[in-house]
Amino acid sequence: MIDFFRRLFGKNAQPASTQPPVLDIANVAPATIPVHHVTEKPAEVWHPDKNFYHLYVKWMLSEQLGASSPYVEKTILSGLEKLRKSDLAASQLLPRVPTVLLQVLKSLRDSNVSANDLAQQISKDVSLVAELLHEVNGAYYSPVSRVTSLDSAIQLLGFNGLRMLIARTAFRPIIQTQSGQLAKELAPVIWEHSEKTALACQLLAQQAKLDGFHAFLAGLLQNVGLMIAFRLVDRTGVTDKLPISASFQAAFFRQAVLLTLHVGEQWEFPEPVLRAIAKKHSETELCSDLADCLQQADQLARLRLLVNDGVMTETDVAGFLPANSGLLQCFQQLNQSQA
């Protein structure tokens, strides 16, 4: 999996002795992680109040909350702490990456590769073909006539579009492939939120002239630790519900963030992606442009899910978002992301 992401990010594999040092995030609380390349906080960064956060969490976990229990809470939190300090957090959840994805990523680094060459490689994986054609024929690209040729689909997607498609294809089973009751019930919601956050973050990053691919990766990565945490709850066997205690939930979600950063570090994600996720959950006043995009994208994705489920209305959202910020336009595009 590490080699897969190296190819995805366009890096060459390096001998262990020459690898650059990685940020030691695993044992540092989010609030104390240093944020480099900070900028003055933009005037139109939108941060909804805590009531919205509680509304979303209550909606997401409404059927999965149980009574408080000191024993259950201690068992879960100590299990998360132990898992985070081990090297098993990623390997326990990683599916095998199809060889075709690795071949396509290698080819994408060749400036002379043709659409026909890529089409021949992609055609070897039926599920990837279906994913690609589904993508280009969806509302986001809205072709005049249905695209049925792989060559045409690849040309329409372009280099970055294809990289994003492959990234999403690799991430989906990490979040969706679950066996325990709690993780299985929450996986569809977590995956839909991840996809919409990734799309929103990419759109906002493009508006801010930032790296759209890094933004897309940050949106996909941020929930990986949460799914690991839910799966660990299932594996403890002490409960099939999440204790309702506010203090427990705060500690649980904080551990999930640290797990995400730990996994991202193991997979050698780009430093700007890890720092954006760390900063998003930080209490420091320092900020980064990518972290701001991720913060707002996360909230827009939550709004989209609440509206789609009838908890809020489009009119509610229009009044909720700051005027003339471009956020409403981004929000309206989120139902165009492909499932």
Side-chain angles (χ1 to χ4, degrees), residues 6-307:
R6 279 189 182 136
R7 296 184 191 187
L8 186 61
F9 306 142
K11 297 178 181 178
N12 291 317
Q14 297 173 304
S17 60
T18 62
Q19 288 182 354
V22 294
L23 180 66
D24 185 13
I25 291 176
N27 294 307
V28 183
T32 63
I33 296 174
V35 181
H36 298 316
H37 312 298
V38 298
T39 61
E40 186 176 348
K41 197 169 187 176
E44 292 187 340
V45 173
W46 171 63
H47 299 284
D49 61 35
K50 292 183 178 180
N51 290 331
F52 172 68
Y53 170 79
H54 293 310
L55 172 65
Y56 178 81
V57 172
K58 181 180 179 181
W59 169 79
M60 180 180 69
L61 298 176
S62 59
E63 302 297 324
Q64 283 78 37
L65 293 176
S68 298
S69 165
Y71 170 73
V72 170
E73 293 168 18
K74 182 178 180 180
T75 300
I76 293 172
L77 294 178
S78 62
L80 288 173
E81 180 76 11
K82 182 178 180 181
L83 184 61
R84 182 174 62 82
K85 291 182 177 180
S86 75
D87 293 327
L88 301 177
S91 61
Q92 288 183 347
L93 205 62
L94 290 180
R96 180 176 175 272
V97 177
T99 303
V100 170
L101 293 186
L102 297 174
Q103 292 173 342
V104 173
L105 287 174
K106 182 178 180 180
S107 296
L108 285 172
R109 296 173 60 189
D110 181 357
S111 59
N112 297 317
V113 70
S114 68
N116 183 60
D117 292 333
L118 291 172
Q120 288 182 2
Q121 293 176 357
I122 292 171
S123 65
K124 298 175 183 177
D125 188 316
V126 176
S127 62
L128 186 56
V129 171
E131 182 81 11
L132 194 154
L133 292 175
H134 179 65
E135 175 87 359
V136 298
N137 286 299
Y140 186 71
Y141 287 94
S142 299
V144 176
S145 58
R146 184 168 181 80
V147 177
T148 58
S149 160
L150 276 180
D151 286 12
S152 299
I154 290 168
Q155 290 174 350
L156 183 59
L157 272 179
F159 172 79
N160 279 332
L162 193 53
R163 282 210 301 175
M164 291 175 188
L165 176 70
I166 292 173
R168 197 174 66 236
T169 301
F171 265 94
R172 180 182 287 111
I174 293 173
I175 293 181
Q176 286 193 330
T177 305
Q178 307 297 334
S179 55
Q181 179 177 334
L182 186 64
K184 185 176 181 180
E185 290 177 352
L186 290 170
V189 174
I190 300 300
W191 174 245
E192 187 174 7
H193 176 261
S194 297
E195 270 201 311
K196 292 188 184 306
T197 300
L199 175 59
C201 201
Q202 177 205 352
L203 294 172
L204 294 174
Q206 289 173 341
Q207 292 176 15
K209 302 188 185 313
L210 301 175
D211 189 313
F213 186 54
H214 280 178
F216 189 79
L217 288 173
L220 287 180
L221 177 65
Q222 71 161 355
N223 284 329
V224 168
L226 185 59
M227 283 312 305
I228 294 174
F230 286 137
R231 191 166 191 180
L232 180 133
V233 173
D234 289 326
R235 289 187 175 186
T236 62
V238 296
T239 182
D240 58 0
K241 301 288 184 180
L242 210 61
I244 200 170
S245 162
S247 60
F248 165 78
Q249 289 188 28
F252 179 84
F253 284 106
R254 179 177 176 277
Q255 287 286 353
V257 173
L258 293 175
L259 272 172
T260 293
L261 293 170
H262 183 47
V263 170
E265 193 178 39
Q266 286 183 317
W267 291 349
E268 299 187 7
F269 264 64
E271 185 177 323
V273 173
L274 296 180
R275 290 195 178 280
I277 294 173
K279 169 60 191 74
K280 175 179 174 289
H281 298 275
S282 172
E283 297 174 0
T284 178
E285 290 301 318
L286 295 176
C287 66
S288 74
D289 290 338
L290 184 55
D292 287 334
C293 286
L294 180 59
Q295 169 73 18
Q296 294 183 111
D298 178 44
Q299 305 304 341
L300 290 176
R302 294 181 184 193
L303 280 172
R304 185 76 265 175
L305 292 181
L306 291 175
V307 170

